[in-house]
Amino acid sequence: MMSTQTINIATVYASLEHVMDPEIPVLSVVDLGMITGVELEETGVHIKMIPTFAACPAVGYIQQQIKTTLESELGVAVSVEVDKQVHWQSNRMTPAAKEKLKNFGIAPPKVLTGEISTEIMMEVPCPHCGSEQTYLRSPFGSTLCRAIHFCKACGQVFEQFKPLE
Amino acid sequence: MMNNAALTDLIIKMADDELIQGHRNSEWTGLGPVMEEDIAFSSMAQDKIGHAWALYRMLHEDLGGADPDSFAFLRPEKDFKSSHLVEMPNGEYDFSLMRHFLFDQAETIRYESLQDSSFEPLRLLSNKVKGELKYHTLHANAWIMQLSRAGEESYSRMQQALNDTIALAAGLFEPSPVYEDALIAEKVYPGETALYHRWLDRIYPVLVKASLNLPEAGAIVPVYGGRQGIHTPYLQPLLKEMSEVFNLDTEARW
């Protein structure tokens, strides 16, 4: 059994990398930028996290997964809190995460430099063939965080992880 | 010290509108005119109910209110502060779409104004909701434009839908006779009248692009009452259906 004296921030993050998003199982909560704080306390570890979209139905499940995974891997008590001070933006997603997302078949969000515009949703590169000859079919998809696009080059419908301000 | 009664009144109005509009959106699930629209209204339903939930949690955690589930599902009709606009049945797709456009533009204006709120929980939530609403208005604007340009029948139905909804939508901005001045003075938000004018300025350019005629502001007689607990005959049946499962066992743990 480890105590909080034998673990550090890096070991906590390493363990958080094992908690995957239930809707996109190739991405961890760290990849997605959902972790906003890790605090080592005398009695255990305190994690602050944020959902991607406010109405994400998986928040409770993810909180539970963080708690169970970390408690079993680190052997300390873990508490998980939704951080209200920070809100999720698609720019929080790491470049490595975007690569994994693309390989999984979902187009990653473009980097946002200002507010969302219609343009940022156009010509999203197709994750299957790479073509930019695509158009937005609907800003809503199979989950809150995805939009539906169509690729004119390969003739396939594909999903995109939506950019969010 | 903030005026908690005034804040509570404002947040209940916002939350109830989100909950009831969310429920109406969900009634399109399985019935949308095309698959993408079915998915869009279902997704927006999820967003709205999520936003309502965040607001009910704020009442509970920051203002000493009841727990969100029992507050949402166990209140009598007269304690709801939803607007008449969101209570109306879905009707045909043209009505639902026009309501979606007017409602989501109104919400956008409201959450934008809360970016400067003196009440921190509302300010923080508005950052989150504002970004998500972009997709609602993007969707609404695109369809208003497409259907208004899709031939004579389509155009006249969109104009009719606008004529039928505009006074109801103006009723979203019903000022509180009791709390309005306090909320403005304490810089919680700029007040309903200011939001109403910003909203008219926001919807006007989209309607112009769609060649739809917005009635003169002076000719719009807002439909008030919802904020005071006076509702349309459509709310009670909706509440009964919405709370049916919850009421089977109000103590159940899911």
Side-chain angles (χ1 to χ4, degrees):
Chain A
M1 188 85 160
M2 285 199 237
S3 77
T4 44
Q5 277 142 9
T6 58
I7 60 172
N8 56 43
I9 300 282
T11 55
V12 175
Y13 270 98
S15 188
L16 283 168
E17 300 259 11
H18 301 148
V19 183
M20 309 315 271
D21 182 280
E23 286 175 345
I24 307 169
V26 294
L27 295 185
S28 74
V29 293
V30 179
D31 290 329
L32 277 162
M34 292 170 80
I35 303 301
T36 61
V38 171
E39 287 159 23
L40 302 179
E41 292 161 352
E42 269 182 39
T43 51
V45 176
H46 185 66
I47 307 292
K48 287 184 178 170
M49 58 85 69
I50 46 175
T52 51
F53 279 69
C56 175
V59 188
Y61 177 81
I62 294 170
Q63 278 180 281
Q64 193 54 48
Q65 287 299 106
I66 292 175
K67 186 173 159 65
T68 329
T69 306
L70 268 59
E71 283 185 345
S72 92
E73 292 188 7
L74 304 174
V76 293
V78 175
S79 55
V80 187
E81 169 196 16
V82 173
D83 189 344
K84 290 183 183 165
Q85 300 293 320
V86 185
H87 75 277
W88 191 84
Q89 295 163 297
S90 49
N91 285 354
R92 293 182 64 91
M93 205 186 279
T94 62
K98 289 183 181 178
E99 194 58 30
K100 285 189 222 172
L101 198 57
K102 196 180 81 184
N103 294 334
F104 187 60
I106 299 176
K110 288 184 186 172
V111 174
L112 268 183
T113 47
E115 295 202 343
I116 294 272
S117 61
T118 318
E119 289 68 38
I120 193 128
M121 297 297 287
M122 312 313 268
E123 294 168 3
V124 170
C126 170
H128 306 301
C129 74
S131 167
E132 290 187 6
Q133 298 297 307
T134 65
Y135 65 87
L136 174 66
R137 184 107 161 227
S138 172
F140 298 100
S142 62
T143 72
L144 283 186
C145 51
R146 302 187 205 177
I148 307 172
H149 295 255
F150 184 78
C151 176
K152 290 187 263 188
C154 70
Q156 288 201 68
V157 167
F158 66 90
E159 290 191 303
Q160 178 208 18
F161 199 111
K162 291 192 260 204
L164 190 70
E165 286 170 20
Chain B
M1 180 65 195
M2 286 242 181
N3 186 332
N4 281 3
L7 278 168
T8 300
D9 184 67
L10 176 68
I11 296 168
I12 294 174
K13 287 178 200 174
M14 291 171 59
D16 286 352
D17 269 4
E18 297 253 29
L19 180 67
I20 305 302
Q21 185 58 58
H23 187 84
R24 286 295 184 216
N25 284 350
S26 78
E27 291 176 341
W28 276 110
T29 304
L31 300 172
V34 292
M35 194 189 68
E36 283 88 347
E37 282 311 275
D38 198 308
I39 295 170
F41 271 86
S42 306
S43 295
M44 291 189 288
Q46 198 182 335
D47 271 337
K48 296 292 176 223
I49 291 167
H51 298 159
W53 185 47
L55 290 164
Y56 291 134
R57 271 205 317 266
M58 196 182 288
L59 289 171
H60 179 52
E61 291 168 11
D62 300 305
L63 294 162
D67 88 274
D69 280 347
S70 55
F71 192 73
F73 294 122
L74 296 178
R75 261 177 305 158
E77 184 207 34
K78 67 174 174 49
D79 291 348
F80 272 79
K81 296 180 191 288
S82 46
S83 65
H84 290 193
L85 177 73
V86 299
E87 296 172 11
M88 299 304 278
N90 280 344
E92 300 275 333
Y93 190 70
D94 45 17
F95 176 86
S96 277
L97 180 64
M98 190 56 76
R99 167 168 62 187
H100 155 44
F101 168 69
L102 297 173
F103 180 76
D104 279 295
Q105 293 288 358
E107 277 217 304
T108 299
I109 294 287
R110 189 171 293 272
Y111 281 106
E112 280 174 3
S113 82
L114 290 168
Q115 299 267 284
D116 305 315
S117 179
S118 58
F119 186 56
E120 194 192 23
L122 272 179
R123 192 170 68 237
L124 292 171
L125 181 68
S126 71
N127 285 326
K128 176 108 197 96
V129 174
K130 178 175 89 56
E132 298 184 6
L133 276 177
K134 281 278 167 75
Y135 288 103
H136 296 221
T137 52
L138 186 73
H139 174 262
N141 292 359
W143 279 102
I144 290 287
M145 222 84 88
Q146 284 186 63
L147 291 183
S148 298
R149 292 170 179 173
E152 208 173 310
E153 187 198 346
S154 186
Y155 172 77
S156 69
R157 287 181 70 146
M158 292 316 290
Q159 182 63 54
Q160 190 58 48
L162 177 62
N163 297 348
D164 293 343
T165 44
I166 191 71
L168 285 162
L172 289 168
F173 305 96
E174 177 178 354
S176 161
V178 189
Y179 300 119
E180 199 73 8
D181 294 343
L183 291 167
I184 297 169
E186 291 181 20
K187 299 197 185 326
V188 173
Y189 85 134
E192 298 297 329
T193 310
L195 295 188
Y196 178 54
H197 291 291
R198 287 182 201 179
W199 172 73
L200 286 173
D201 289 344
R202 187 68 64 89
I203 60 173
Y204 184 69
V206 183
L207 295 172
V208 167
K209 272 195 203 166
S211 309
L212 295 172
N213 300 310
L214 181 68
E216 287 295 319
I220 301 170
V221 183
V223 178
Y224 288 159
R227 308 310 191 192
Q228 307 301 320
I230 301 157
H231 295 289
T232 63
Y234 305 112
L235 181 62
Q236 186 55 50
L238 182 154
L239 294 177
K240 184 172 176 290
E241 184 188 84
M242 189 174 69
S243 58
E244 211 149 22
V245 174
F246 190 83
N247 274 307
L248 288 176
D249 180 358
T250 56
E251 302 300 317
R253 288 276 153 260
W254 298 84

